[in-house]
Amino acid sequence: MDLKILWMYHDLMDLYGDKGNTQVLKIRAEKRGIDVTVDTCTIGEERDISDYDLFFMGGGADNEQGLIYQDLLSRRGSIEKAMNEKTAFLLICGGYQLFGKYYKDQDGNVIDGLNFFDYYTESTDRDHRCIGNIALETEMDGEVFKAVGFENHGGQTKNVTTPFGKVLSGHGNMFKSGFEGFMNDQVVATYMHGPLLPKNPKIADKILMRALRKRHGEVKLAELDDTLENAARETMLKRLGV
């Protein structure tokens, strides 16, 4: 069994250790005997996105989003084809924002999004950001559990109808919004950096199963020893009082 991961804009969209997400997915898959390929793609490079089981895109500041958005928009057809062929998506922060309708930066400049989903993001002024550790409750494939991460975003994402989770501590999509991220059957989109997956092995495995489903059908993953990962998550949940 094999797994093919595409990491988009690895050289520009990699805030707060987001690359750790690809490392976690690769290691957790390989421990189960799954062969993993992680390819990268940046501005001007050719890739058939629908060739991959998982599309990963990390976060970036306004400057980086301004650099990549035209290239990203030029790939909309390829991304839509990948969606139609059941590729899984993990989108962090800026990656999350750019799959919506638009992103308005702190100076009022509007960057068109891919417009796959109805949400949109408008930035606040530079003195007001959603910053800090965050905890939420999420439900993935019928299982409810808690997750932790770190958020640092000025963008306020609105009109999300299917959030990734309910905020237990922190802000989420907007200041004290109560809900965080976006999720559907193929896409997990979130502001949670840190990176997200090292302290949240259940999320990592749910994403692996979604990605493997594309070419291998429903896959049952062998259990791993997640003692350290769970201890890290529980320590943060205790610190946040949830």
Side-chain angles (χ1 to χ4, degrees):
M1 188 182 301
D2 68 314
L3 176 69
K4 298 174 67 177
I5 299 173
L6 181 63
W7 179 10
M8 289 297 300
Y9 308 115
H10 60 289
D11 52 343
L12 294 168
M13 303 290 282
D14 183 26
L15 276 179
Y16 309 117
D18 286 338
K19 64 184 176 183
N21 293 314
T22 60
Q23 294 171 328
V24 167
L25 291 168
K26 186 174 190 294
I27 290 169
R28 293 185 71 82
E30 288 177 341
K31 284 183 176 181
R32 276 106 168 194
I34 299 167
D35 294 325
V36 181
T37 299
V38 179
D39 289 335
T40 59
C41 182
T42 192
I43 295 171
E45 292 184 348
E46 293 295 327
R47 292 285 185 193
D48 184 350
I49 295 172
S50 64
D51 251 357
Y52 292 86
D53 306 305
L54 176 65
F55 175 110
F56 170 69
M57 188 169 161
D62 287 357
N63 180 63
E64 284 74 25
Q65 291 191 52
L67 291 173
I68 64 112
Y69 87 95
Q70 289 184 331
D71 184 86
L72 181 67
L73 291 180
S74 75
R75 302 177 190 269
R76 191 186 191 284
S78 182
I79 296 171
E80 185 173 27
K81 182 172 183 283
M83 283 187 172
N84 291 338
E85 294 181 7
K86 304 305 181 183
T87 294
F89 288 76
L90 174 58
L91 310 171
I92 308 294
C93 198
Y96 165 26
Q97 294 169 346
L98 290 172
F99 270 63
K101 288 184 173 298
Y102 66 84
Y103 172 72
K104 181 185 289 186
D105 70 17
Q106 293 168 334
D107 298 316
N109 302 309
V110 176
I111 295 175
D112 289 333
L114 290 165
N115 202 25
F116 284 118
F117 309 117
D118 289 336
Y119 60 78
Y120 57 91
T121 304
E122 297 178 342
S123 188
T124 59
D125 64 75
R126 289 175 172 81
D127 295 327
H128 296 85
R129 298 182 65 82
C130 300
I131 302 176
N133 292 305
I134 180 171
L136 58 84
E137 182 179 81
T138 185
E139 180 178 350
M140 298 184 73
D141 302 327
E143 185 175 3
V144 178
F145 52 92
K146 294 177 181 178
V148 297
F150 176 79
E151 60 179 345
N152 184 352
H153 57 100
Q156 306 291 287
T157 299
K158 306 172 183 180
N159 202 37
V160 175
T161 55
T162 56
F164 179 39
K166 178 183 178 181
V167 175
L168 303 175
S169 178
H171 294 284
N173 287 327
M174 298 181 289
F175 288 112
K176 300 298 182 183
S177 63
F179 294 94
E180 202 284 326
F182 168 87
M183 182 168 63
N184 63 21
D185 290 341
Q186 288 175 249
V187 178
V188 171
T190 177
Y191 279 115
M192 295 170 73
H193 294 282
L196 169 68
L197 298 182
K199 293 191 290 289
N200 297 290
K202 282 190 178 181
I203 296 176
D205 284 353
K206 297 293 187 184
I207 290 171
L208 281 176
M209 288 188 287
R210 288 178 170 204
L212 290 166
R213 191 179 298 152
K214 177 178 178 178
R215 290 186 294 120
H216 304 291
E218 297 296 332
V219 174
K220 183 174 177 59
L221 297 176
E223 294 292 326
L224 299 179
D225 181 359
D226 292 326
T227 301
L228 290 176
E229 293 88 341
N230 289 330
R233 190 183 68 260
E234 291 301 321
T235 296
M236 182 55 65
L237 288 170
K238 184 177 180 180
R239 186 179 300 172
L240 295 174
V242 295

